[in-house]
Amino acid sequence: MNEGVLNFPLLLHWLHQLIEHLDDPRQPSNGTKFSLKDIVLGAFAVFFMQCPSFLEYQRHVHSRHGRDNAQALFELTELPTSNQIKNVLDLIAFRLLFPIFYQIYSVLLRRGYLEQYKVLGGHLLVGLDGSEYFSSNRICCDQCSTKTHRDGSVTYTHTAVLPVLVCPEIEHVISLAPEFIRPQDGAEKQDSETAAAKRWIKGHAQGFDGAKITVLGDDLYSRQPMVETCLEDELNFIFVCLPSSHPELYEWVEYLEGIGDVEHLETRGWNGRYHEICQYRYYNRIPLREELPAVMVNWCEVSVTRAADGKTMYHNAFITHHFINDQSVAEIVSAGRARWKAENEGHNVLKTKGYHLEHNFGHGQKNLAAVLLVLNLFAFLFHTVLHLVDSTYQRMRKQRGTHKGD
């Protein structure tokens, strides 16, 4: 295998290597007609080929043409049934699959493919956002989160924080290892998105090979415990910060504005569709909360209006650890606004562009739902990497038109 060429055969080779190091969870008495490689690749193929269900994929591979394609493309020895696949995957610890995310990220970083993603003096932006990928009123397992409604009915869900590398000027996002929102051993409270995000930071902050990282998040993240978690692990951050959830901080802003200490900047420009006016306010070192001790953060606000009629097109505010001045405020705001790509170019693509994120591919009793999500993220990641580095794949996608084309 020529590791100088980053292409589909190399990506698949890494997946083969990972599978070879997995312990087969089946007991010898259960029989092992199908290898673990065939089991895992049989599931991965469903997502890589963007089939809407295991049944649809099985219908395809049971044709002679489909079987030949599956065996040739994924190097499958045998083709297990969907039930055989699900029964085995339910027993695999999903975290054992995470090395693929690190391996691909590391190669992209070393070979310079991520240079185009760097902003703010060489920082990579990681958008953190939670997404639900399973919901039912009757199917459940020990790993489900629950919501009890007023009428007494219960909804069972699976949710995960799905981190992605984003860049304001680049359409494609790069998937990183997820963090699942699920019951935690010894915890009295139900797990939450922010708790999962903090676990992700603690578990993955040291895996970026020395790259400078800025974490992006919505207003849910702009609380002192999350900010402290980022700083403890030497990550910068840009979080949305709304007046409704931070009244004490905005009392400081009003006071500082009143004495003339808040900095102002106005810029004008063409955004490709219309002329816009961007009005910025910012202040460095403001307490995040009233309760002591309070972390000192840097705050900025932007209001974007259309020059032709004065209509407000965008308004938001952020907190960060990046120093803000007239030269940096626009870039900081642009980076903060890129948070939406985690949802729009990440979650929405996974839900609507052929990956069928919210389809119940299988629930299981232990790890099946999580393992299938990871394999789906592998497919999304493989497609993204190939788009970045493989000219043949780029031409194929251009001819196909969309992720969902036939």
Side-chain angles (χ1 to χ4, degrees), residues 94-269:
F94 59 84
R95 293 190 187 278
L96 297 178
L97 303 174
F98 284 4
I100 289 290
F101 292 106
Y102 293 111
Q103 191 166 18
I104 291 177
Y105 163 82
S106 181
V107 170
L108 290 175
L109 181 69
R110 291 199 313 269
R111 299 189 185 181
Y113 291 112
L114 297 184
E115 289 300 312
Q116 60 187 317
Y117 280 80
K118 292 182 178 180
V119 297
L120 297 170
H123 278 247
L124 293 171
L125 305 177
V126 176
L128 296 180
D129 196 19
S131 182
E132 183 179 289
Y133 63 95
F134 171 83
S135 179
S136 175
N137 294 323
R138 57 184 183 85
I139 300 174
C140 65
C141 69
D142 291 342
Q143 305 306 320
C144 283
S145 298
T146 60
K147 181 179 181 180
T148 303
H149 304 281
R150 290 182 178 179
D151 62 2
S153 63
V154 179
T155 299
Y156 303 97
T157 62
H158 282 272
T159 311
V161 174
L162 306 179
V164 288
L165 289 177
V166 303
C167 179
E169 305 302 324
I170 298 177
E171 175 186 0
H172 294 276
V173 301
I174 298 173
S175 289
L176 302 170
E179 181 63 44
F180 291 93
I181 302 171
R182 54 187 355 205
Q184 301 296 301
D185 292 340
E188 295 182 2
K189 294 183 179 180
Q190 189 158 247
D191 200 17
S192 67
E193 180 177 336
T194 52
K198 285 189 283 187
R199 289 197 305 274
W200 185 87
I201 290 171
K202 288 298 183 183
H204 300 277
Q206 304 307 315
F208 286 102
D209 294 346
K212 295 183 289 187
I213 301 296
T214 292
V215 177
L216 311 179
D218 61 20
D219 184 72
L220 184 68
Y221 290 73
S222 56
R223 306 297 190 275
Q224 178 140 329
M226 180 65 71
V227 168
E228 288 176 333
T229 298
C230 290
L231 296 179
E232 287 168 3
D233 286 273
E234 300 182 345
L235 303 182
N236 212 313
F237 59 87
I238 304 174
F239 297 145
V240 173
C241 183
L242 301 178
S244 58
S245 56
H246 296 78
E248 295 87 0
L249 183 148
Y250 279 89
E251 287 178 5
W252 272 105
V253 171
E254 290 181 12
Y255 168 74
L256 293 166
E257 181 71 61
I259 62 174
D261 279 1
V262 174
E263 301 289 344
H264 289 249
L265 176 68
E266 180 175 295
T267 64
R268 296 169 179 260

Side-chain angles (χ1 to χ4, degrees), residues 2-31:
N2 181 4
E3 298 209 359
V5 179
L6 188 53
N7 53 21
F8 179 73
L10 180 57
L11 295 175
L12 191 62
H13 173 68
W14 290 339
L15 184 54
H16 280 216
Q17 286 185 321
L18 175 69
I19 297 169
E20 288 174 1
H21 287 88
L22 294 177
D23 291 329
D24 195 322
R26 294 170 289 184
Q27 297 296 325
S29 59
N30 291 343

Side-chain angles (χ1 to χ4, degrees), residues 74-93:
F74 300 104
E75 301 177 27
L76 286 165
T77 306
E78 298 285 347
L79 297 173
T81 67
S82 60
N83 284 338
Q84 289 166 328
I85 289 173
K86 294 174 185 179
N87 289 339
V88 176
L89 293 187
D90 195 33
L91 303 175
I92 294 177

